[in-house]
Every structure is written in structure tokens, then in C-alpha cells.
Amino acid sequence: MNTFPVELADEAIYVLREAAAQFERPAILFSGGKDSIVITHLAVRAFAPSPVPFPLLHVDTGHNFAETIVYRDHLAASLGLELIVRSVQDSLDRGRVQEERGRYASRNVLQTVTLLDAIEELNLDACIGGARRDEEKARAKERIFSVRDEFGQWDARRQRPELFDMLNGRISPGQHVRVFPISNWTELDVWEYIRAEGIEIPSIYFAHERDVFDRDGLLWADSPFINKGPDEVPYRAQVRFRTVGDMTCTAAVASAAVSLDAVIAEIASSELSERGARIDDKRSEAAMERRKREGYF
């Protein structure tokens, strides 16, 4: 049974069309995760039969899940979309950022510098993202058109009011806007839209066997990018992922859900939040808001 509220898709399409109308050089921030996949699908619908007027921009940490990269390239090619990839490794090689060290070393936060450099290099005035207000509290504060200053930074206390459906994209030189078309969606809305539209998604969203190890009560995917201790011994388990991020900060959940119906049923009954398996959110109580203030996605 299709239970997706169609007015949410109508609103998202309206936002995408406003982004095309109000900005000269927008891009879709594409991670290969379900939210950016849905944004891309909505963009195809918003501008059909014309091509999507935005390129996809992926900030590749070099530590992504292989399934996500394969899916990214396949999607861009199948839809005939321009795919722009900027690499955290390039930022490291140029001395723009430094690799973290230690047990929890991750390139996730390093993406911010690569992203802001890409925005400046490509002269982007709008970045369309898949963040949703239900994910966590910092994202709940974002406007649908959310202005970043000339340094790419965000101040939650100095946001513009959004009255009715009037989206204000006016910016000064150097500023840009983050656009969130599915801000009012929930995780279940995303999954029900994927089911209703028959959208292909990366295989890691479905239960599969994988080598994992236990850390801090979470199932981490075994990877050469993660610094394991001698007591952290990988073993085979059936898992899936609720979010898709850098391997060093995205944990799996034990699951038997091998179909969309099973995934939706599992989420509807789960007591774990969507980002409960994201290690990057556990660094501090305000980890996401601090990253967003500095220019994160």
C-alpha cells in the first residue's frame, strides 16, 4: 500500500524549481545516500522533459563504501547527469587539511574544507542537499533556503524568516545558499517515496552478510581505513545500513530486512534513531551544529 504523502513531493519540486529560478549556478550535493538519491529523482521530475539543470557534486573522502561509489557512477551515467567529484585526498595532498590520528580517526569532518573549496572553485551560489529536520536537532534549525556567509559558515541565530511559501534567495557577493527541498520529510517518508516510485538504491541499505566488529555497542564495518585494536576481531554478520557516510563514522545495524517492505517495517518499529549508528554525531552533544557552523553539509 502506498502511504506516501504526495504533497511533500509537490513541495520539494516547488523548492527545486525556485532554486533553478533564483540562482545561477546551483549543484546537488550527492553522497549516494537515500536522501540525495530522492532529491535527484525529484529534480528529474521537476524539469522533465528537459534535463536536470544542476550537476551532481560529490565530496569523496576516499573512505566511502565501494557499493556507494559504484551506484553513484551508475546513476549519473544512466540519467545523463554531470558528475563533479572533489577529493579529500587532494585537500590532504595540498596541505589544506591534516589526517586525524588515533582510534576514532575519520575523514568525515575534513570534507568541510573540500566542500568549501569546491564551492569557491565552481562559483556555486546554491548547494541543494538532502538534510531533513527530523534527523537531528541542528538540522531541525535550518531554513529551506539557508544562507552561508562569505566564509561558508552558518549562524542559526541569524537566519531569515520564511513566511508562507516565499523563499528568499537574495545573497551578497561571496555568500551562497544551502537548499533543503525535503526538509519537512521524515525517514519513513523517504523510504515510502522510494517504494512508491520504484527507485533503485545502493545494496548496502538491504540486509547482507559483512565482516564487522564490535565497538561502543555498535557494529562497525571491517575496513583498512579504521584503526582497530587487538581485541576488535572481525566476524561475519547479517547487517544493513540506515545511513550512508564515510566508513569510519557509519555503523551498521543487525537486520534481516532484504526488501523495501521489510526495511520500512523495521524502521517503523525501531527504537534506534536514524543517526544512532553515526559515530560522527557522538563526538559531542553539539557535534553536528558545530560542523554546520564551519560549513559542513
Side-chain angles (χ1 to χ4, degrees):
M1 181 178 67
N2 179 16
T3 56
F4 176 76
V6 293
E7 59 270 20
L8 288 176
D10 293 343
E11 179 190 56
I13 287 172
Y14 165 75
V15 172
L16 287 162
R17 289 173 175 168
E18 281 294 299
Q22 296 195 36
F23 302 105
E24 296 182 5
R25 291 170 300 280
I28 295 175
L29 299 178
F30 189 82
S31 67
K34 62 186 184 305
D35 302 309
S36 59
I37 292 169
V38 164
I39 293 288
T40 304
H41 185 272
L42 287 162
V44 170
R45 287 182 57 194
F47 302 103
S50 298
V52 175
F54 319 124
L56 305 180
L57 171 60
H58 182 218
V59 175
D60 188 347
T61 67
H63 293 173
N64 299 101
F65 290 93
E67 297 95 325
T68 307
I69 300 301
V70 170
Y71 177 91
R72 176 199 70 184
D73 295 343
H74 165 69
L75 181 75
S78 64
L79 295 178
L81 298 176
E82 180 186 3
L83 172 63
I84 301 171
V85 179
R86 290 296 178 268
S87 165
V88 170
Q89 184 61 54
D90 287 342
S91 299
L92 287 162
D93 293 342
R94 291 187 291 115
R96 295 281 293 147
V97 292
Q98 289 188 328
E99 200 91 74
E100 292 185 344
R101 299 178 182 274
R103 176 181 171 92
Y104 293 95
S106 172
R107 289 185 173 182
N108 186 56
V109 72
L110 307 185
Q111 295 180 90
T112 299
V113 171
T114 309
L115 171 63
L116 295 180
D117 285 351
I119 290 170
E120 181 176 2
E121 172 202 346
L122 301 169
N123 200 23
L124 301 178
D125 55 0
C127 293
I128 303 166
R132 309 187 321 270
R133 287 179 172 135
D134 78 318
E135 288 182 85
E136 57 80 49
K137 55 190 179 184
R139 286 180 163 162
K141 298 177 182 178
E142 290 268 23
R143 299 290 195 259
I144 291 177
F145 273 16
S146 199
V147 177
R148 286 348 189 222
D149 68 15
E150 59 271 35
F151 302 105
Q153 297 175 335
W154 175 65
D155 187 343
R157 298 165 300 181
R158 300 182 61 187
Q159 299 194 88
R160 298 170 177 174
E162 283 183 344
L163 305 176
F164 310 103
D165 60 351
M166 295 182 290
L167 301 173
N168 180 3
R170 293 184 180 180
I171 53 176
S172 301
Q175 293 181 331
H176 71 274
V177 170
R178 302 291 172 87
V179 178
F180 302 111
I182 61 170
S183 191
N184 292 325
W185 295 34
T186 66
E187 181 187 15
L188 273 177
D189 292 330
V190 170
W191 281 110
E192 287 175 350
Y193 182 79
I194 289 170
R195 179 170 62 180
E197 296 294 322
I199 299 172
E200 183 182 1
I201 55 175
S203 59
I204 62 173
Y205 278 120
F206 298 109
H208 58 283
E209 286 200 347
R210 194 176 203 100
D211 289 335
V212 299
F213 65 95
D214 298 319
R215 178 185 289 180
D216 302 334
L218 298 173
L219 297 172
W220 293 54
D222 185 32
S223 162
F225 309 130
I226 300 174
N227 299 324
K228 294 191 296 292
D231 59 328
E232 295 174 324
V233 180
Y235 60 92
R236 204 73 173 165
Q238 189 170 19
V239 300
R240 71 176 197 87
F241 293 85
R242 286 179 70 175
T243 65
V244 170
D246 187 277
M247 291 188 74
T248 59
C249 66
T250 308
V253 293
S255 174
V258 296
S259 68
L260 278 175
D261 287 343
V263 167
I264 290 171
E266 182 182 277
I267 293 169
S269 61
S270 176
E271 295 182 355
L272 180 70
S273 70
E274 179 181 6
R275 296 189 68 89
R278 288 296 294 260
I279 294 90
D280 47 336
D281 288 354
K282 298 181 184 299
R283 290 194 170 197
S284 75
E285 180 69 15
M288 176 63 81
E289 182 156 342
R290 187 181 68 252
R291 292 201 302 274
K292 290 178 77 67
R293 283 202 305 268
E294 295 168 350
Y296 190 72
F297 299 87

